[in-house]
Amino acid sequence: MLSEADIGAIWLTFRLATTVTILLLILGTPLALWLAKTRSIIKGPVSALVALPLVLPPTVLGFYLLVFMGPSGPMGKFTEALGLGTLPFTFWGLVFASLLYSLPFVVQPIQNAIEAQGERHAEVAATLRASPWDTFWHVTLPLAKPGILTAAVLGFAHTVGEFGVVLMIGGNIPGETRVVSVQIYDHVEALEYTQAHWLSAAMIGFSFAVLLLLYLLQHRKSSRGLRYGI
Amino acid sequence: MHMRFHGLRQYLLGYGHSLKTRGVALLTSLTAALAATTVVADEVTIAVASNFTAPMQAIAARYEASSNHKIRLAFGSSGKIYAQIRHGAPFDAFFSADKEKPAHLINQGLAEKDSRITYAEGKLVLWSTHSDLVDDSGAILKTTRFNILALANPKLAPYGAAAQQVLQNIRLDADTRSRWVQGENISQTYQFVASGNADLGFVALSQVMRDGEIVEGSAWIVPQSLYSPIQQDAVILKRAADKPALAEFWAFIQGPEARAIMAAYGYSAAQGKHSHAE
């Protein structure tokens, strides 16, 4: 059934997806809020940039990240100047790549949820002397909760299923960059189909459980509001 | 990525070819009516392991120039092609990167036993883009002057298994292991080194050699005594057993012209017909 290496890959994938989801919610929420509220002329270009990772095939994105984060790329030069070395072949390299890759999946649901609220709630809060900060924490964010949950689900699932990018910048290092999708690919390439089936089944079962849990939470906590067809 | 575009190009080319073939067929039948002899242009689709992409394109082009048959090429990793053939992919022949997968296909009754040939033998090279890093005995491996050593995954790629063998034979396996990064195949391993992310790596000589010269950087062509030969086998698949174009191409690939192309790309010439004694 599952070997030690398989279990190591599952644990690593879980760690990666969780780290990426948390970071994306922290970084993506203010970005989504800004995109939802702004009337700036750079709103269009920024929205387009956020959606751009959807366009490139993952292996192509991965290839350019390999060049961009490598010792002769701008990002690589920057991280080396900071004394961090270069990012490819490290866990944090994967985190950085996944942030880019999954960004649209997190920003867009949150942005939609905030936009759908309109101005009214915030205006009412302001007449009750709520500061913008109070309004954000106690009005905008709670109302956007279904969108945030959707964002978390999509960000997590997308990172778990990520393959092309990791393949290009990972280097297949156990416990560091060898995630489940790469491990399954290795099994298939080595003609170890039985092991590939077991690991795929485990990955699907695990992801189903996580997603189901999130949806149940959402269902219970928000009987009204935006559901995005869920 | 590279391969994706490539696949598309092959597809478009193939489409062009098939139109052209129809044109040729029409012309041929007209000629035949006049001359009362029939020449049938055949089109065959050959799946090729990605490490052999460049020489195979050159060989197929040379073959087509001297034949009225057409060759369509599809490139991919041997493992993927193998799985596709098992599930009915419309390939007529398979040029693998190893000996095992063609043997499996024969055992499963999907390939012609008698068609198996060892068409090429790959050579391993330790390569760096830095011009002074690798000397001609690979002494760099004993030092700490490199951070990352790239090799293909030994479990998947014959070049990876050979690289591991070399490191074991020079007893540097344990010392260097913490600095290994593994490519899923030899093309990816090449990208790790070419992009400068790995200081050096074990790649295929065919990737860094053009016309008998190392293209850039520094390299150690690993002595054959340090690893078992990287033999690449090809088979004709059962569905295409009676295509005359394949028999002709089989002769061509073992002939002097094809061998010269392979040598220019850093492969040893083919060993000829496979011995069934193995």
Side-chain angles (χ1 to χ4, degrees):
Chain A
M1 272 180 60
L2 294 183
S3 69
E4 209 169 301
D6 292 341
I7 291 164
I10 291 175
W11 171 235
L12 177 71
T13 307
F14 179 70
R15 219 157 41 97
L16 178 70
T18 309
T19 311
V20 168
T21 307
I22 291 169
L23 285 176
L24 272 177
L25 288 178
I26 294 171
L27 298 171
T29 307
L31 181 59
L33 182 71
W34 181 80
L35 281 170
K37 300 279 181 193
T38 188
R39 295 202 176 90
S40 160
I41 52 163
I42 61 164
K43 177 181 176 174
V46 172
S47 305
L49 273 178
V50 168
L52 216 51
L54 294 172
V55 173
L56 286 178
T59 40
V60 177
L61 184 66
F63 175 71
Y64 287 111
L65 281 172
L66 184 68
V67 175
F68 181 68
M69 305 195 303
S72 23
M75 174 98 179
K77 283 189 176 138
F78 177 68
T79 52
E80 278 194 327
L82 292 177
L84 298 171
T86 51
L87 284 174
F89 319 130
T90 65
F91 178 75
W92 289 101
L94 291 197
V95 170
F96 177 78
S98 309
L99 286 179
L100 271 184
Y101 178 61
S102 297
L103 188 67
F105 291 85
V106 170
V107 169
Q108 290 182 350
I110 302 179
Q111 184 187 340
N112 289 343
I114 295 175
E115 278 173 351
Q117 290 170 19
E119 296 294 320
R120 202 179 145 79
H121 298 291
E123 281 166 10
V124 169
T127 62
L128 296 172
R129 289 207 219 154
S131 70
W133 188 247
D134 281 339
T135 309
F136 173 70
W137 282 109
H138 299 294
V139 180
T140 311
L141 218 50
L143 281 173
K145 203 188 242 165
I148 293 171
L149 265 168
T150 306
V153 167
L154 288 178
F156 186 89
H158 199 237
T159 310
V160 168
E162 174 177 335
F163 171 69
V165 175
V166 180
L167 192 69
M168 296 305 285
I169 63 165
N172 201 7
I173 301 165
E176 180 93 16
T177 60
R178 188 187 288 167
V179 296
V180 171
S181 54
V182 171
Q183 181 77 358
I184 294 174
Y185 178 82
D186 280 3
H187 283 320
V188 172
E189 286 285 298
L191 316 186
E192 297 162 353
Y193 294 150
T194 316
Q195 273 158 283
H197 298 333
W198 274 112
L199 191 52
S200 300
M203 187 176 174
I204 290 171
F206 170 76
S207 304
F208 181 79
V210 170
L211 295 176
L212 185 67
L213 190 73
L214 275 167
Y215 285 137
L216 289 177
L217 276 176
Q218 179 172 1
H219 202 76
R220 182 135 39 98
K221 291 227 169 132
S222 62
S223 45
R224 282 183 299 155
L226 294 162
R227 302 293 288 281
Y228 296 96
I230 295 154
Chain B
M1 26 105 262
H2 183 86
M3 229 122 79
R4 217 177 167 119
F5 294 145
H6 218 98
L8 182 65
R9 215 187 87 207
Q10 285 303 325
Y11 172 78
L12 292 174
L13 275 178
Y15 186 66
H17 278 168
S18 72
L19 288 179
K20 222 193 287 173
T21 315
R22 268 178 241 160
V24 171
L26 189 68
L27 269 180
T28 324
S29 47
L30 284 175
T31 324
L34 290 173
T37 53
T38 316
V39 185
V40 181
D42 215 351
E43 185 176 63
V44 292
T45 308
I46 301 181
V48 183
S50 25
N51 81 76
F52 203 64
T53 303
M56 190 52 135
Q57 282 170 330
I59 290 168
R62 186 75 61 86
Y63 170 74
E64 286 184 342
S66 64
S67 163
N68 61 335
H69 299 309
K70 295 289 170 201
I71 307 268
R72 279 204 300 182
L73 299 174
F75 302 99
S77 78
S78 300
K80 251 184 269 144
I81 295 172
Y82 170 81
Q84 288 167 349
I85 290 171
R86 278 189 53 180
H87 294 96
F91 300 132
D92 298 317
F94 171 35
F95 282 71
S96 182
D98 63 5
K99 299 172 80 69
E100 285 78 22
K101 292 179 187 84
H104 279 309
L105 289 174
I106 290 170
N107 290 339
Q108 286 155 7
L110 290 166
E112 287 291 322
K113 192 173 176 215
D114 294 335
S115 69
R116 181 155 62 140
I117 53 169
T118 300
Y119 63 96
E121 205 173 295
K123 289 185 197 156
L124 191 68
V125 62
L126 180 69
W127 179 62
S128 167
T129 51
H130 304 286
S131 55
D132 47 1
L133 203 59
V134 181
D135 70 359
D136 56 8
S137 66
I140 176 76
L141 288 171
K142 299 191 188 79
T143 72
T144 51
R145 288 194 291 124
F146 67 98
N147 285 328
I148 292 174
L149 171 65
L151 61 155
N153 188 335
K155 205 174 102 183
L156 309 183
Y159 286 97
Q164 193 176 26
Q165 244 180 358
V166 171
L167 290 168
Q168 281 161 354
N169 281 332
I170 57 177
R171 303 221 158 77
L172 288 171
D173 183 37
D175 287 352
T176 55
R177 191 175 283 265
S178 62
R179 286 177 281 173
W180 287 8
V181 299
Q182 295 175 25
E184 294 307 308
N185 53 49
I186 200 66
S187 317
Q188 214 192 12
T189 312
Y190 172 81
Q191 280 161 13
F192 287 163
V193 184
S195 64
N197 280 294
D199 299 318
L200 62 161
F202 283 103
V203 300
L205 182 60
S206 56
Q207 292 172 311
V208 296
M209 178 178 265
R210 287 296 168 271
D211 302 323
E213 300 277 334
I214 300 289
V215 178
E216 66 158 320
S218 52
W220 170 45
I221 299 175
V222 183
Q224 187 63 70
S225 56
L226 290 176
Y227 61 98
S228 349
I230 305 169
Q231 293 185 335
Q232 309 197 174
D233 280 9
V235 280
I236 294 175
L237 301 176
K238 273 271 158 65
R239 65 190 289 279
D242 50 358
K243 287 200 177 179
L246 273 179
E248 203 182 288
F249 186 69
W250 238 236
F252 186 83
I253 196 95
Q254 298 173 78
E257 265 184 290
R259 282 167 188 243
I261 293 171
M262 286 185 218
Y265 280 99
Y267 288 91
S268 295
Q271 306 294 299
K273 196 82 181 168
H274 210 273
S275 90
H276 296 298
E278 272 179 54

